[in-house]
Amino acid sequence: MSSNTVYIGKKPVMNYVLACLTLFQNGANEVTIKARGRSISTAVDSAEILRKKFSPDVQVKEIKIDTEQVKDNETGSSSNVSSIEIMLKK
Amino acid sequence: MSSNTVYIGKKPVMNYVLACLTLFQNGANEVTIKARGRSISTAVDSAEILRKKFSPDVQVKEIKIDTEQVKDNETGSSSNVSSIEIMLKK
C-alpha cells in the first residue's frame, strides 16, 4: 500500500491536497501523509484543507509521531529529525 | 486541567520540553501540547525530545488536528490556521 502515501516536501500545499484527492478518487480507502522536520506543519495543513474544503467524508484515522535518524552525506554525522504520519480514511 | 497545557510559540524548543518535564515532575499524569501554524513542527519536536531524551516513560496518548479561525485585529478579516494537540501521559 506504499502507493497510497503522499510525502510532503517544499512545494505549495495545494499540490499535496490534490495528490491526496487523486488517490481517493482513484479508489483508495486510505491515504497516508508523511512528513519530516519543518514540513510537518504543511502535512497538517494538507490534511485539514482536504477535509474542510474538499472532502468532508475524509476522516483522520490515526496520527503517529516519531524520530528518524538522518545522515548527512557530506560530514557522515547523523542527526535526529521529528516525523509525522497522518492516516486518512474515507 | 488547563494548567496542564503547554502552548508552543517561537521560543527555543528546549523551553517547551522543560515546561512539560516540570509539569510531570509536579505530579501531572497528563500534559497537552498545543500549537498552531508553523509552530506545529516545534510541538512534535518537543514531544519527541521529551520522550526520547528525558522521559522514556512518557507516552503519546492521542494526537488531534483541527482548523481554527484567526481574526486579524487590523483588517478585521479572518483566516484559517491548522492546529495540533498532542496529549502525553505518564
Side-chain angles (χ1 to χ4, degrees):
Chain A
M1 289 298 176
S2 61
S3 59
N4 288 342
T5 302
V6 173
Y7 292 93
I8 305 294
K10 306 227 172 277
K11 293 179 190 164
V13 64
M14 281 307 297
N15 289 45
Y16 306 111
V17 176
L18 288 173
C20 294
L21 267 179
T22 305
L23 285 170
F24 277 121
Q25 273 164 4
N26 287 346
N29 294 316
E30 292 188 17
V31 172
T32 301
I33 298 174
K34 290 189 185 183
R36 294 200 298 204
R38 294 295 115 189
S39 300
I40 287 175
S41 45
T42 308
V44 176
D45 286 342
S46 306
E48 285 296 299
I49 292 170
L50 177 67
R51 287 168 60 212
K52 299 282 161 81
K53 293 221 172 132
F54 294 97
S55 287
D57 53 339
V58 169
Q59 295 176 315
V60 176
K61 186 188 173 194
E62 199 184 352
I63 302 174
K64 287 184 200 168
I65 58 174
D66 204 355
T67 303
E68 294 180 13
Q69 292 236 325
V70 176
K71 198 170 176 180
D72 187 320
N73 283 327
E74 278 181 31
T75 65
S77 63
S78 63
S79 58
N80 292 325
V81 63
S82 301
S83 64
I84 196 166
E85 271 188 54
I86 304 173
M87 279 146 274
L88 301 170
K89 68 170 178 182
K90 204 165 188 171
Chain B
M1 289 297 176
S2 61
S3 58
N4 288 343
T5 301
V6 174
Y7 292 92
I8 305 294
K10 307 226 171 280
K11 293 180 188 163
V13 64
M14 281 307 297
N15 288 46
Y16 306 111
V17 175
L18 288 173
C20 295
L21 266 178
T22 305
L23 287 171
F24 277 122
Q25 273 165 3
N26 287 345
N29 294 316
E30 292 190 15
V31 172
T32 301
I33 298 174
K34 291 190 184 182
R36 294 200 297 204
R38 293 295 115 190
S39 300
I40 287 174
S41 45
T42 308
V44 176
D45 286 342
S46 305
E48 285 296 298
I49 291 170
L50 177 67
R51 287 168 60 211
K52 299 283 160 81
K53 293 220 170 131
F54 293 97
S55 288
D57 53 338
V58 169
Q59 295 176 314
V60 176
K61 185 187 173 193
E62 199 184 353
I63 302 174
K64 288 184 200 167
I65 58 174
D66 203 356
T67 303
E68 295 181 12
Q69 291 236 329
V70 176
K71 198 169 178 180
D72 187 320
N73 283 328
E74 278 182 31
T75 66
S77 63
S78 63
S79 57
N80 292 325
V81 63
S82 302
S83 64
I84 196 168
E85 271 188 54
I86 305 173
M87 279 146 274
L88 301 170
K89 67 171 179 180
K90 205 163 188 173

